[in-house]
Amino acid sequence: MIIFYYETIAIQVQLPQELIALYPSENRDESRLLVVNRKNGELQHKIFKDITEYFNPNDVLVFNNTKVFPARLYGNKEKTGAEIEVFLLRELNREQRLWDVLVDPARKIRIGNKLYFGEDDLLVAEVIDNTTSRGRTLRFLFDGTYDEFKKTLYSLGETLCQSSSTGRLNQRTARDTRPFLQSMKVQLRPLQPACISAGSY
């Protein structure tokens, strides 16, 4: 098996804000489908339910069920109520609810501070360590099950697309997270033609 490695920067594209889909279509099978004729490069604009027109018997459809993680949280610092932004980088310990994060403004967020997220302070986190100039380790103080915790985290977070579309994306945080995102490798396996399109394409 051959695995190709690509830096994520190699597959970055710039999209106009109005063309970024923040939410799925009401009828999921009516989302847009771009078909490429591999012989002549011709492009056809279809809708997703037309995909069956491009399959032959014994063809294989690869289904990607991954989801974008809403890693950006907006909240307030204890006592002062100052607005803060947290970008979740990775989970360090599932049982202790420990996360490696970037924070802004970093100079105001110190070890021992508590951060509050959501209406009625639905989620609370405590800063327990400094990792870099803007990096922190947070312990989320949540009494429910792990599934309940993750559900709450997802409900409060935003994706990068959502943050940028609402004007809430902090440019410094976006710049500082870029090296981290670019350092991750994307593993792409070559697909057989039948997995991509019909035999004549």
Side-chain angles (χ1 to χ4, degrees), residues 67 111 114 121 139 145 164 173:
K67 297 181 179 180
I111 294 176
K114 285 187 172 63
D121 301 332
R139 176 189 288 118
T145 65
S164 60
T173 300

Side-chain angles (χ1 to χ4, degrees), residues 44-64:
Q44 290 182 293
H45 295 276
K46 300 282 188 175
I47 57 177
F48 190 78
K49 60 186 176 184
D50 296 331
I51 197 171
T52 55
E53 299 176 8
Y54 301 96
F55 281 88
N56 293 320
N58 300 320
D59 282 349
V60 177
L61 174 66
V62 177
F63 179 69
N64 180 357

Side-chain angles (χ1 to χ4, degrees), residues 10 40 66 77 115 133 144 148 155 184 187 191 195:
N40 57 26
T66 57
K77 184 183 170 187
L115 311 177
S133 61
E148 290 171 338
S155 69
M184 296 188 298
Q187 294 189 13
L191 301 178
C195 298

